[in-house]
Amino acid sequence: PLKNTLDWLSRPAFASPLRDKPVTSFGATPGPGNPGRALAQVNAYYAAVAAAALPWPTLAVGRVGEVLDDTGALDAKIARRLSAQLEAFVHWIDAVATYREARSTA
């Protein structure tokens, strides 16, 4: 479903609705692997549609079940990393808006 959604969002060519839009991604997997490769593929997609992907920080969590407590809340370390990414994303949104404004007046 995600791939189909991304394919639909890539149309029309060179005028994607994601063009110059700030985006970020994070991933989690129940297994011992790291979702980093999947995130890299999503980031390559963002580049292809000219979305403004937050370059850093990113969050990729393996064995996600081990970082959740009985209520489903994240452990403190992962919660801090997620919070840092979301805080950076807020600043990224502002930076992209400044860029888009400067580009539109040039």
Side-chain angles (χ1 to χ4, degrees):
L2 176 60
K3 184 186 179 314
N4 285 342
T5 301
L6 296 175
D7 283 345
W8 294 332
L9 288 172
S10 70
R11 307 290 190 277
F14 308 107
S16 162
L18 292 177
R19 183 179 183 89
D20 295 330
K21 300 292 190 302
V23 295
T24 191
S25 300
F26 46 88
T29 182
N34 182 317
R37 285 186 299 182
L39 290 173
Q41 290 178 345
V42 170
N43 284 331
Y45 166 80
Y46 290 152
V49 297
L54 175 71
W56 185 87
T58 60
L59 179 61
V61 180
R63 298 181 195 239
V64 72
E66 295 176 12
V67 299
L68 300 174
D69 68 16
D70 294 339
T71 67
L74 291 171
D75 75 11
K77 178 183 174 186
I78 299 300
R80 281 191 305 272
R81 289 178 56 202
L82 179 58
S83 180
Q85 181 174 349
L86 294 175
E87 184 177 331
F89 187 56
V90 168
H91 295 291
W92 184 248
I93 291 168
D94 292 339
V96 171
T98 300
Y99 163 77
R100 290 174 66 186
E101 183 179 314
R103 201 176 96 202
S104 70
T105 60

